[in-house]
Short mmCIF file of all heavy atoms in Angstrom, two decimals:
data_model
loop_
_atom_site.label_atom_id
_atom_site.label_comp_id
_atom_site.label_asym_id
_atom_site.label_seq_id
_atom_site.Cartn_x
_atom_site.Cartn_y
_atom_site.Cartn_z
N SER M 1 -5.65 19.01 1.83
CA SER M 1 -6.78 19.48 1.05
C SER M 1 -7.76 18.34 0.79
O SER M 1 -7.42 17.17 0.95
CB SER M 1 -6.30 20.08 -0.25
OG SER M 1 -5.89 19.07 -1.15
N ALA M 2 -8.92 18.68 0.36
CA ALA M 2 -9.96 17.68 0.08
C ALA M 2 -9.53 16.76 -1.05
O ALA M 2 -9.81 15.55 -1.02
CB ALA M 2 -11.27 18.36 -0.26
N ASP M 3 -8.82 17.30 -2.04
CA ASP M 3 -8.34 16.47 -3.15
C ASP M 3 -7.34 15.42 -2.66
O ASP M 3 -7.38 14.27 -3.08
CB ASP M 3 -7.68 17.33 -4.23
CG ASP M 3 -8.68 18.18 -5.00
OD1 ASP M 3 -9.90 17.86 -4.94
OD2 ASP M 3 -8.25 19.13 -5.66
N THR M 4 -6.46 15.83 -1.77
CA THR M 4 -5.46 14.91 -1.23
C THR M 4 -6.14 13.79 -0.44
O THR M 4 -5.79 12.62 -0.60
CB THR M 4 -4.46 15.66 -0.34
OG1 THR M 4 -3.83 16.67 -1.12
CG2 THR M 4 -3.41 14.72 0.22
N VAL M 5 -7.09 14.14 0.39
CA VAL M 5 -7.82 13.15 1.18
C VAL M 5 -8.55 12.17 0.27
O VAL M 5 -8.48 10.95 0.47
CB VAL M 5 -8.81 13.83 2.16
CG1 VAL M 5 -9.71 12.81 2.81
CG2 VAL M 5 -8.04 14.62 3.21
N ALA M 6 -9.21 12.67 -0.75
CA ALA M 6 -9.94 11.81 -1.68
C ALA M 6 -8.98 10.89 -2.43
O ALA M 6 -9.27 9.70 -2.62
CB ALA M 6 -10.73 12.66 -2.67
N ARG M 7 -7.83 11.43 -2.85
CA ARG M 7 -6.85 10.61 -3.57
C ARG M 7 -6.31 9.50 -2.67
O ARG M 7 -6.21 8.35 -3.08
CB ARG M 7 -5.71 11.51 -4.07
CG ARG M 7 -4.73 10.76 -4.96
CD ARG M 7 -3.64 11.67 -5.53
NE ARG M 7 -2.78 12.19 -4.50
CZ ARG M 7 -2.67 13.47 -4.18
NH1 ARG M 7 -3.39 14.37 -4.79
NH2 ARG M 7 -1.85 13.85 -3.22
N LYS M 8 -6.01 9.82 -1.42
CA LYS M 8 -5.47 8.81 -0.51
C LYS M 8 -6.51 7.74 -0.19
O LYS M 8 -6.18 6.57 -0.07
CB LYS M 8 -4.93 9.46 0.75
CG LYS M 8 -3.67 10.25 0.43
CD LYS M 8 -2.88 10.61 1.65
CE LYS M 8 -1.61 11.31 1.20
NZ LYS M 8 -0.61 11.34 2.19
N LYS M 9 -7.77 8.13 -0.04
CA LYS M 9 -8.83 7.14 0.18
C LYS M 9 -8.93 6.19 -1.01
O LYS M 9 -9.10 4.99 -0.84
CB LYS M 9 -10.18 7.82 0.42
CG LYS M 9 -10.37 8.31 1.82
CD LYS M 9 -11.78 8.80 2.02
CE LYS M 9 -12.02 9.11 3.49
NZ LYS M 9 -13.40 9.43 3.76
N SER M 10 -8.82 6.75 -2.19
CA SER M 10 -8.87 5.94 -3.40
C SER M 10 -7.69 4.96 -3.43
O SER M 10 -7.85 3.80 -3.79
CB SER M 10 -8.84 6.84 -4.63
OG SER M 10 -8.75 6.08 -5.81
N TYR M 11 -6.51 5.43 -3.06
CA TYR M 11 -5.34 4.56 -3.02
C TYR M 11 -5.52 3.45 -1.99
O TYR M 11 -5.11 2.31 -2.22
CB TYR M 11 -4.08 5.35 -2.69
CG TYR M 11 -3.61 6.29 -3.77
CD1 TYR M 11 -2.63 7.23 -3.51
CD2 TYR M 11 -4.15 6.26 -5.06
CE1 TYR M 11 -2.18 8.11 -4.49
CE2 TYR M 11 -3.70 7.13 -6.05
CZ TYR M 11 -2.72 8.05 -5.76
OH TYR M 11 -2.28 8.91 -6.72
N MET M 12 -6.12 3.77 -0.84
CA MET M 12 -6.35 2.74 0.17
C MET M 12 -7.29 1.66 -0.37
O MET M 12 -7.04 0.46 -0.16
CB MET M 12 -6.94 3.36 1.44
CG MET M 12 -5.92 4.12 2.27
SD MET M 12 -6.63 4.94 3.72
CE MET M 12 -7.20 3.56 4.68
N GLN M 13 -8.34 2.06 -1.06
CA GLN M 13 -9.25 1.07 -1.64
C GLN M 13 -8.55 0.24 -2.70
O GLN M 13 -8.73 -0.97 -2.77
CB GLN M 13 -10.48 1.78 -2.24
CG GLN M 13 -11.38 2.39 -1.21
CD GLN M 13 -12.48 3.26 -1.81
OE1 GLN M 13 -12.37 3.71 -2.94
NE2 GLN M 13 -13.51 3.50 -1.04
N ASP M 14 -7.73 0.89 -3.50
CA ASP M 14 -6.98 0.19 -4.54
C ASP M 14 -6.01 -0.82 -3.91
O ASP M 14 -5.87 -1.95 -4.39
CB ASP M 14 -6.23 1.22 -5.39
CG ASP M 14 -5.61 0.62 -6.64
OD1 ASP M 14 -6.21 -0.31 -7.22
OD2 ASP M 14 -4.53 1.09 -7.05
N ALA M 15 -5.35 -0.42 -2.84
CA ALA M 15 -4.41 -1.32 -2.16
C ALA M 15 -5.15 -2.52 -1.56
O ALA M 15 -4.64 -3.65 -1.60
CB ALA M 15 -3.64 -0.56 -1.07
N ARG M 16 -6.33 -2.30 -1.02
CA ARG M 16 -7.10 -3.42 -0.45
C ARG M 16 -7.53 -4.39 -1.54
O ARG M 16 -7.63 -5.59 -1.30
CB ARG M 16 -8.32 -2.91 0.32
CG ARG M 16 -7.85 -2.29 1.63
CD ARG M 16 -8.85 -2.27 2.70
NE ARG M 16 -9.28 -3.57 3.11
CZ ARG M 16 -10.41 -3.80 3.75
NH1 ARG M 16 -11.22 -2.82 4.03
NH2 ARG M 16 -10.73 -5.01 4.12
N GLN M 17 -7.80 -3.88 -2.75
CA GLN M 17 -8.13 -4.78 -3.86
C GLN M 17 -6.90 -5.57 -4.27
O GLN M 17 -6.98 -6.75 -4.57
CB GLN M 17 -8.68 -4.00 -5.04
CG GLN M 17 -10.07 -3.47 -4.82
CD GLN M 17 -10.59 -2.66 -5.99
OE1 GLN M 17 -9.85 -2.26 -6.87
NE2 GLN M 17 -11.89 -2.40 -5.99
N GLN M 18 -5.75 -4.91 -4.28
CA GLN M 18 -4.49 -5.56 -4.68
C GLN M 18 -4.07 -6.60 -3.64
O GLN M 18 -3.64 -7.68 -3.99
CB GLN M 18 -3.41 -4.49 -4.83
CG GLN M 18 -2.03 -5.02 -5.17
CD GLN M 18 -1.91 -5.48 -6.60
OE1 GLN M 18 -2.67 -5.05 -7.46
NE2 GLN M 18 -0.97 -6.35 -6.86
N TRP M 19 -4.17 -6.23 -2.37
CA TRP M 19 -3.74 -7.09 -1.27
C TRP M 19 -4.90 -7.22 -0.29
O TRP M 19 -5.00 -6.47 0.69
CB TRP M 19 -2.51 -6.51 -0.57
CG TRP M 19 -1.33 -6.37 -1.49
CD1 TRP M 19 -0.58 -7.39 -1.99
CD2 TRP M 19 -0.76 -5.16 -2.01
NE1 TRP M 19 0.41 -6.88 -2.80
CE2 TRP M 19 0.31 -5.52 -2.83
CE3 TRP M 19 -1.08 -3.82 -1.86
CZ2 TRP M 19 1.09 -4.59 -3.50
CZ3 TRP M 19 -0.32 -2.88 -2.53
CH2 TRP M 19 0.76 -3.27 -3.34
N GLY M 20 -5.77 -8.17 -0.54
CA GLY M 20 -6.99 -8.34 0.25
C GLY M 20 -6.77 -8.61 1.72
O GLY M 20 -7.66 -8.43 2.54
N PHE M 21 -5.57 -9.03 2.08
CA PHE M 21 -5.27 -9.34 3.48
C PHE M 21 -4.95 -8.09 4.30
O PHE M 21 -4.85 -8.17 5.52
CB PHE M 21 -4.10 -10.34 3.58
CG PHE M 21 -2.91 -9.96 2.74
CD1 PHE M 21 -2.00 -9.02 3.19
CD2 PHE M 21 -2.71 -10.55 1.51
CE1 PHE M 21 -0.90 -8.67 2.42
CE2 PHE M 21 -1.61 -10.21 0.73
CZ PHE M 21 -0.71 -9.27 1.19
N LEU M 22 -4.79 -6.94 3.66
CA LEU M 22 -4.54 -5.72 4.40
C LEU M 22 -5.85 -5.13 4.91
O LEU M 22 -6.81 -5.03 4.17
CB LEU M 22 -3.84 -4.69 3.51
CG LEU M 22 -2.44 -5.04 3.04
CD1 LEU M 22 -1.90 -3.95 2.12
CD2 LEU M 22 -1.50 -5.26 4.20
N THR M 23 -5.87 -4.77 6.16
CA THR M 23 -7.08 -4.19 6.75
C THR M 23 -7.06 -2.67 6.58
O THR M 23 -6.02 -2.07 6.26
CB THR M 23 -7.16 -4.50 8.25
OG1 THR M 23 -6.09 -3.82 8.92
CG2 THR M 23 -7.08 -6.00 8.52
N HIS M 24 -8.20 -2.06 6.82
CA HIS M 24 -8.29 -0.60 6.79
C HIS M 24 -7.31 -0.01 7.80
O HIS M 24 -6.62 0.97 7.51
CB HIS M 24 -9.73 -0.16 7.09
CG HIS M 24 -9.88 1.33 7.11
ND1 HIS M 24 -9.92 2.08 5.96
CD2 HIS M 24 -9.96 2.19 8.14
CE1 HIS M 24 -10.03 3.36 6.30
NE2 HIS M 24 -10.06 3.45 7.60
N PHE M 25 -7.23 -0.62 8.98
CA PHE M 25 -6.30 -0.14 10.00
C PHE M 25 -4.86 -0.24 9.51
O PHE M 25 -4.07 0.68 9.69
CB PHE M 25 -6.48 -0.90 11.31
CG PHE M 25 -5.51 -0.46 12.38
CD1 PHE M 25 -5.72 0.72 13.06
CD2 PHE M 25 -4.39 -1.20 12.66
CE1 PHE M 25 -4.82 1.16 14.04
CE2 PHE M 25 -3.48 -0.79 13.63
CZ PHE M 25 -3.69 0.40 14.31
N ASP M 26 -4.50 -1.39 8.89
CA ASP M 26 -3.15 -1.55 8.35
C ASP M 26 -2.81 -0.38 7.43
O ASP M 26 -1.76 0.25 7.56
CB ASP M 26 -3.02 -2.84 7.53
CG ASP M 26 -3.12 -4.10 8.35
OD1 ASP M 26 -2.87 -4.06 9.57
OD2 ASP M 26 -3.44 -5.15 7.75
N LEU M 27 -3.71 -0.14 6.50
CA LEU M 27 -3.45 0.89 5.50
C LEU M 27 -3.42 2.29 6.09
O LEU M 27 -2.68 3.15 5.61
CB LEU M 27 -4.49 0.79 4.38
CG LEU M 27 -4.39 -0.50 3.57
CD1 LEU M 27 -5.60 -0.67 2.67
CD2 LEU M 27 -3.11 -0.52 2.75
N SER M 28 -4.18 2.51 7.16
CA SER M 28 -4.18 3.84 7.77
C SER M 28 -2.90 4.11 8.57
O SER M 28 -2.59 5.26 8.85
CB SER M 28 -5.41 4.02 8.66
OG SER M 28 -5.32 3.20 9.81
N THR M 29 -2.15 3.05 8.90
CA THR M 29 -0.93 3.23 9.67
C THR M 29 0.32 3.28 8.80
O THR M 29 1.37 3.68 9.27
CB THR M 29 -0.75 2.11 10.71
OG1 THR M 29 -0.65 0.85 10.04
CG2 THR M 29 -1.91 2.08 11.69
N ILE M 30 0.20 2.89 7.54
CA ILE M 30 1.36 2.86 6.64
C ILE M 30 1.66 4.29 6.18
O ILE M 30 0.78 4.98 5.69
CB ILE M 30 1.08 1.94 5.43
CG1 ILE M 30 0.99 0.49 5.91
CG2 ILE M 30 2.17 2.09 4.38
CD1 ILE M 30 0.48 -0.46 4.86
N LYS M 31 2.92 4.68 6.32
CA LYS M 31 3.32 6.04 5.97
C LYS M 31 4.25 6.11 4.76
O LYS M 31 4.48 7.19 4.23
CB LYS M 31 4.02 6.70 7.16
CG LYS M 31 3.19 6.75 8.42
CD LYS M 31 1.96 7.60 8.25
CE LYS M 31 1.16 7.66 9.53
NZ LYS M 31 -0.25 7.82 9.32
N ASN M 32 4.83 4.98 4.35
CA ASN M 32 5.78 5.04 3.23
C ASN M 32 5.86 3.69 2.51
O ASN M 32 5.29 2.69 2.96
CB ASN M 32 7.16 5.51 3.70
CG ASN M 32 7.73 4.62 4.77
OD1 ASN M 32 7.76 3.40 4.65
ND2 ASN M 32 8.22 5.23 5.85
N GLU M 33 6.59 3.70 1.42
CA GLU M 33 6.73 2.51 0.58
C GLU M 33 7.38 1.35 1.34
O GLU M 33 6.96 0.20 1.19
CB GLU M 33 7.58 2.88 -0.64
CG GLU M 33 7.79 1.76 -1.62
CD GLU M 33 8.64 2.17 -2.80
OE1 GLU M 33 8.85 3.36 -3.03
OE2 GLU M 33 9.08 1.25 -3.51
N LEU M 34 8.38 1.63 2.15
CA LEU M 34 9.06 0.59 2.91
C LEU M 34 8.10 -0.10 3.87
O LEU M 34 8.10 -1.33 3.98
CB LEU M 34 10.26 1.18 3.67
CG LEU M 34 11.07 0.18 4.50
CD1 LEU M 34 11.65 -0.91 3.61
CD2 LEU M 34 12.17 0.92 5.24
N GLN M 35 7.27 0.67 4.56
CA GLN M 35 6.30 0.07 5.48
C GLN M 35 5.30 -0.80 4.74
O GLN M 35 4.96 -1.89 5.20
CB GLN M 35 5.56 1.16 6.26
CG GLN M 35 6.41 1.84 7.30
CD GLN M 35 5.66 2.94 8.02
OE1 GLN M 35 4.68 3.49 7.51
NE2 GLN M 35 6.11 3.28 9.22
N LEU M 36 4.84 -0.33 3.58
CA LEU M 36 3.89 -1.12 2.79
C LEU M 36 4.56 -2.40 2.32
O LEU M 36 3.98 -3.49 2.43
CB LEU M 36 3.36 -0.31 1.62
CG LEU M 36 2.39 -1.04 0.68
CD1 LEU M 36 1.19 -1.59 1.42
CD2 LEU M 36 1.95 -0.11 -0.45
N SER M 37 5.78 -2.32 1.83
CA SER M 37 6.50 -3.51 1.37
C SER M 37 6.67 -4.52 2.50
O SER M 37 6.47 -5.72 2.30
CB SER M 37 7.89 -3.13 0.82
OG SER M 37 7.78 -2.33 -0.31
N SER M 38 7.04 -4.04 3.67
CA SER M 38 7.24 -4.92 4.82
C SER M 38 5.95 -5.61 5.23
O SER M 38 5.94 -6.81 5.53
CB SER M 38 7.80 -4.15 6.00
OG SER M 38 9.10 -3.71 5.72
N MET M 39 4.84 -4.87 5.21
CA MET M 39 3.57 -5.45 5.60
C MET M 39 3.12 -6.49 4.57
O MET M 39 2.64 -7.56 4.94
CB MET M 39 2.50 -4.39 5.79
CG MET M 39 1.26 -4.94 6.46
SD MET M 39 0.17 -3.68 7.10
CE MET M 39 1.12 -3.07 8.49
N VAL M 40 3.29 -6.18 3.29
CA VAL M 40 2.94 -7.14 2.24
C VAL M 40 3.78 -8.41 2.40
O VAL M 40 3.26 -9.52 2.33
CB VAL M 40 3.12 -6.52 0.84
CG1 VAL M 40 3.04 -7.57 -0.26
CG2 VAL M 40 2.06 -5.44 0.60
N LYS M 41 5.07 -8.25 2.64
CA LYS M 41 5.97 -9.39 2.85
C LYS M 41 5.51 -10.23 4.05
O LYS M 41 5.38 -11.45 3.94
CB LYS M 41 7.40 -8.90 3.07
CG LYS M 41 8.37 -10.00 3.46
CD LYS M 41 9.66 -9.37 3.97
CE LYS M 41 10.47 -10.29 4.80
NZ LYS M 41 9.89 -10.68 6.08
N ASP M 42 5.29 -9.58 5.17
CA ASP M 42 4.93 -10.29 6.40
C ASP M 42 3.59 -11.01 6.28
O ASP M 42 3.44 -12.14 6.74
CB ASP M 42 4.88 -9.33 7.58
CG ASP M 42 6.24 -8.78 7.95
OD1 ASP M 42 7.27 -9.34 7.50
OD2 ASP M 42 6.29 -7.77 8.67
N ARG M 43 2.62 -10.37 5.66
CA ARG M 43 1.28 -10.94 5.60
C ARG M 43 1.13 -12.01 4.52
O ARG M 43 0.29 -12.90 4.64
CB ARG M 43 0.24 -9.85 5.36
CG ARG M 43 0.20 -8.81 6.47
CD ARG M 43 -0.56 -9.34 7.68
NE ARG M 43 -0.44 -8.49 8.83
CZ ARG M 43 -1.23 -7.47 9.10
NH1 ARG M 43 -2.19 -7.16 8.28
NH2 ARG M 43 -1.03 -6.76 10.19
N SER M 44 1.93 -11.92 3.46
CA SER M 44 1.76 -12.85 2.35
C SER M 44 2.80 -13.97 2.33
O SER M 44 2.62 -14.97 1.65
CB SER M 44 1.81 -12.11 1.01
OG SER M 44 3.10 -11.58 0.80
N GLY M 45 3.91 -13.78 3.05
CA GLY M 45 4.95 -14.79 3.09
C GLY M 45 5.86 -14.80 1.86
O GLY M 45 6.62 -15.73 1.67
N ILE M 46 5.80 -13.74 1.05
CA ILE M 46 6.69 -13.67 -0.10
C ILE M 46 8.00 -13.01 0.33
O ILE M 46 8.12 -12.46 1.42
CB ILE M 46 6.05 -12.90 -1.28
CG1 ILE M 46 5.72 -11.46 -0.90
CG2 ILE M 46 4.81 -13.64 -1.78
CD1 ILE M 46 5.16 -10.61 -2.06
N SER M 47 9.00 -13.06 -0.54
CA SER M 47 10.30 -12.48 -0.22
C SER M 47 10.22 -10.95 -0.17
O SER M 47 9.32 -10.35 -0.76
CB SER M 47 11.33 -12.89 -1.27
OG SER M 47 11.06 -12.25 -2.50
N GLN M 48 11.19 -10.36 0.51
CA GLN M 48 11.25 -8.89 0.58
C GLN M 48 11.41 -8.30 -0.81
O GLN M 48 10.77 -7.30 -1.14
CB GLN M 48 12.41 -8.45 1.49
CG GLN M 48 12.48 -6.95 1.68
CD GLN M 48 11.31 -6.38 2.47
OE1 GLN M 48 10.83 -7.01 3.40
NE2 GLN M 48 10.84 -5.22 2.08
N ALA M 49 12.24 -8.93 -1.64
CA ALA M 49 12.46 -8.42 -3.00
C ALA M 49 11.17 -8.46 -3.82
O ALA M 49 10.86 -7.52 -4.55
CB ALA M 49 13.56 -9.23 -3.69
N GLN M 50 10.42 -9.56 -3.68
CA GLN M 50 9.16 -9.67 -4.43
C GLN M 50 8.14 -8.66 -3.92
O GLN M 50 7.44 -8.03 -4.70
CB GLN M 50 8.59 -11.09 -4.32
CG GLN M 50 7.32 -11.30 -5.12
CD GLN M 50 7.52 -11.10 -6.61
OE1 GLN M 50 8.41 -11.71 -7.19
NE2 GLN M 50 6.72 -10.25 -7.22
N ALA M 51 8.06 -8.50 -2.61
CA ALA M 51 7.13 -7.52 -2.03
C ALA M 51 7.48 -6.12 -2.51
O ALA M 51 6.60 -5.35 -2.90
CB ALA M 51 7.16 -7.60 -0.51
N ARG M 52 8.76 -5.78 -2.49
CA ARG M 52 9.20 -4.45 -2.94
C ARG M 52 8.84 -4.25 -4.41
O ARG M 52 8.35 -3.19 -4.79
CB ARG M 52 10.70 -4.31 -2.72
CG ARG M 52 11.21 -2.90 -2.89
CD ARG M 52 12.68 -2.73 -2.51
NE ARG M 52 13.01 -3.39 -1.27
CZ ARG M 52 14.00 -4.29 -1.15
NH1 ARG M 52 14.74 -4.62 -2.17
NH2 ARG M 52 14.24 -4.85 0.01
N SER M 53 9.07 -5.26 -5.22
CA SER M 53 8.74 -5.18 -6.64
C SER M 53 7.24 -5.01 -6.87
O SER M 53 6.82 -4.18 -7.68
CB SER M 53 9.25 -6.45 -7.34
OG SER M 53 8.85 -6.47 -8.69
N ASP M 54 6.44 -5.77 -6.13
CA ASP M 54 4.98 -5.67 -6.24
C ASP M 54 4.49 -4.28 -5.85
O ASP M 54 3.63 -3.70 -6.52
CB ASP M 54 4.29 -6.72 -5.37
CG ASP M 54 4.49 -8.14 -5.87
OD1 ASP M 54 5.01 -8.32 -6.99
OD2 ASP M 54 4.11 -9.07 -5.13
N VAL M 55 5.03 -3.74 -4.77
CA VAL M 55 4.62 -2.43 -4.29
C VAL M 55 5.04 -1.35 -5.29
O VAL M 55 4.26 -0.45 -5.60
CB VAL M 55 5.18 -2.15 -2.88
CG1 VAL M 55 5.01 -0.69 -2.49
CG2 VAL M 55 4.48 -3.05 -1.86
N GLN M 56 6.26 -1.45 -5.80
CA GLN M 56 6.71 -0.46 -6.78
C GLN M 56 5.85 -0.49 -8.03
O GLN M 56 5.50 0.56 -8.58
CB GLN M 56 8.18 -0.68 -7.12
CG GLN M 56 9.09 -0.25 -5.98
CD GLN M 56 10.55 -0.59 -6.23
OE1 GLN M 56 10.88 -1.39 -7.10
NE2 GLN M 56 11.42 -0.01 -5.43
N ALA M 57 5.46 -1.68 -8.48
CA ALA M 57 4.59 -1.79 -9.65
C ALA M 57 3.23 -1.17 -9.36
O ALA M 57 2.66 -0.47 -10.20
CB ALA M 57 4.45 -3.26 -10.05
N TRP M 58 2.70 -1.41 -8.16
CA TRP M 58 1.41 -0.85 -7.76
C TRP M 58 1.47 0.67 -7.70
O TRP M 58 0.50 1.36 -8.04
CB TRP M 58 1.00 -1.44 -6.42
CG TRP M 58 -0.26 -0.86 -5.88
CD1 TRP M 58 -1.54 -1.19 -6.25
CD2 TRP M 58 -0.40 0.16 -4.88
NE1 TRP M 58 -2.44 -0.43 -5.53
CE2 TRP M 58 -1.77 0.40 -4.70
CE3 TRP M 58 0.53 0.88 -4.14
CZ2 TRP M 58 -2.24 1.34 -3.79
CZ3 TRP M 58 0.05 1.82 -3.24
CH2 TRP M 58 -1.31 2.03 -3.08
N MET M 59 2.60 1.21 -7.27
CA MET M 59 2.74 2.65 -7.09
C MET M 59 2.91 3.42 -8.40
O MET M 59 2.77 4.64 -8.41
CB MET M 59 3.92 2.95 -6.16
CG MET M 59 3.65 2.53 -4.73
SD MET M 59 5.04 2.84 -3.62
CE MET M 59 5.09 4.61 -3.63
N GLN M 60 3.19 2.72 -9.49
CA GLN M 60 3.40 3.39 -10.77
C GLN M 60 2.22 4.31 -11.09
O GLN M 60 1.07 3.89 -11.05
CB GLN M 60 3.54 2.37 -11.90
CG GLN M 60 4.83 1.61 -11.88
CD GLN M 60 6.02 2.44 -12.35
OE1 GLN M 60 5.86 3.37 -13.13
NE2 GLN M 60 7.19 2.10 -11.87
N GLY M 61 2.51 5.55 -11.41
CA GLY M 61 1.49 6.50 -11.81
C GLY M 61 0.69 7.12 -10.68
O GLY M 61 -0.17 7.96 -10.91
N LYS M 62 0.95 6.72 -9.45
CA LYS M 62 0.24 7.28 -8.31
C LYS M 62 1.04 8.47 -7.75
O LYS M 62 2.26 8.43 -7.73
CB LYS M 62 0.01 6.23 -7.24
CG LYS M 62 -0.97 5.16 -7.67
CD LYS M 62 -1.20 4.14 -6.56
CE LYS M 62 -2.28 3.16 -6.91
NZ LYS M 62 -2.02 2.35 -8.08
N GLN M 63 0.33 9.47 -7.31
CA GLN M 63 0.97 10.67 -6.75
C GLN M 63 0.77 10.67 -5.25
O GLN M 63 -0.35 10.69 -4.75
CB GLN M 63 0.32 11.90 -7.37
CG GLN M 63 0.85 13.19 -6.81
CD GLN M 63 0.09 14.39 -7.37
OE1 GLN M 63 -0.60 14.29 -8.36
NE2 GLN M 63 0.24 15.52 -6.71
N PHE M 64 1.88 10.62 -4.51
CA PHE M 64 1.81 10.58 -3.06
C PHE M 64 2.28 11.87 -2.43
O PHE M 64 2.88 12.69 -2.99
CB PHE M 64 2.64 9.42 -2.51
CG PHE M 64 2.04 8.07 -2.83
CD1 PHE M 64 2.38 7.42 -3.99
CD2 PHE M 64 1.11 7.51 -2.00
CE1 PHE M 64 1.81 6.19 -4.31
CE2 PHE M 64 0.54 6.28 -2.30
CZ PHE M 64 0.90 5.62 -3.46
#
């Protein structure tokens, strides 16, 4: 639906603000929390546990 598309676009913009190293293409290919955590870990050089924690904190209150 149009609401879903608008919400996901908003989340993509929010994610790019949170993690400036993620490209639009990166975000368009991510399908789940695990993929986002892995990409954040790989691109930022932080631990998997820290990336997972950061992503979970970012996801709080968001409806996917």
Side-chain angles (χ1 to χ4, degrees):
S1 74
D3 289 342
T4 301
V5 170
R7 186 176 66 244
K8 291 195 176 198
K9 279 188 172 187
S10 174
Y11 290 169
M12 285 177 64
Q13 290 171 341
D14 190 35
R16 287 205 62 201
Q17 288 178 346
Q18 177 75 22
W19 299 289
F21 49 81
L22 295 178
T23 66
H24 178 76
F25 178 77
D26 292 338
L27 294 169
S28 69
T29 62
I30 293 170
K31 303 296 181 210
N32 58 49
E33 181 180 346
L34 180 60
Q35 288 178 336
L36 178 57
S37 296
S38 293
M39 192 164 289
V40 168
K41 173 193 160 293
D42 293 345
R43 299 282 171 87
S44 66
I46 61 176
S47 70
Q48 183 67 37
Q50 183 62 52
R52 191 173 315 125
S53 175
D54 291 351
V55 168
Q56 287 174 345
W58 176 80
M59 290 179 66
Q60 288 286 333
K62 291 182 174 62
Q63 177 184 344
F64 290 90

